[in-house]
Amino acid sequence: MKTLRFASTALLVASLLSWARLAQALDVTDVPNPRTDHNGWVTDTSGVLGGFAADIEERLTLLHDELGAEVAVAILPSIGEQNPREFATALFQHWGVGRKGHDNGVLVLHVLDQRRVEIETGYGSESVLPDAVCSWLVQDVALPYFRQD
């Protein structure tokens, strides 16, 4: 009986510690900003991009150099119970994606456990990426690839 009580107590403590770590990761300030972290554009705390991250970084740097647009990508294993749309907006603002006065930033957020992709745009990017185009990119371009793994 003591062993069972000890095991259930240990399981409860482990669960609480796991929940506490998850709760801590929910704040946008805990998500590494790729601009300040490694002068890049991609944060992939889940590691799903692997070697493709460098290719994406290179393409986004070329886009920035040629057009001045800033596109940041964040791939996160979880944001807990938070709404991905609201989290994307908060992360976009916290990172300050886009040049000041131009508002030409774009943030692509992929939350793995919720299986959600959100595209947040600055006002200066909305003429190129209006909501309808962002929705099409997620629904008709990205999601079919995710369904194929």
Side-chain angles (χ1 to χ4, degrees), residues 56-78:
I56 294 169
E57 294 269 15
E58 185 178 325
R59 289 177 185 218
L60 294 177
T61 297
L62 286 172
L63 180 70
H64 179 260
D65 293 347
E66 291 176 11
L67 301 177
E70 293 186 3
V71 179
V73 176
I75 302 176
L76 306 173
S78 179

Side-chain angles (χ1 to χ4, degrees), residues 20-128:
R21 279 194 304 272
L22 179 63
Q24 290 173 354
L26 300 180
D27 194 328
V28 294
T29 61
D30 293 329
V31 180
N33 182 335
R35 298 302 298 149
T36 58
D37 189 48
H38 60 275
N39 199 32
W41 305 102
V42 177
T43 291
D44 179 14
T45 61
S46 63
V48 297
L49 290 177
F52 292 110
D55 294 337
I56 294 169
E57 294 269 15
E58 185 178 325
R59 289 177 185 218
L60 294 177
T61 297
L62 286 172
L63 180 70
H64 179 260
D65 293 347
E66 291 176 11
L67 301 177
E70 293 186 3
V71 179
V73 176
I75 302 176
L76 306 173
S78 179
I79 57 170
E81 298 294 320
Q82 292 189 66
N83 179 299
R85 186 79 179 129
E86 293 170 3
F87 193 89
T89 300
L91 187 61
F92 180 88
Q93 292 171 347
H94 175 69
W95 281 359
V97 182
R99 288 186 306 160
K100 193 170 192 146
H102 296 271
D103 286 334
N104 60 343
V106 176
L107 171 71
V108 179
L109 172 68
H110 183 194
V111 182
L112 296 176
D113 69 342
Q114 292 189 29
R115 301 174 64 113
R116 290 279 301 269
V117 176
E118 298 292 340
I119 300 175
E120 183 71 25
T121 60
Y123 291 119
S125 299
E126 287 182 347
S127 62
V128 177

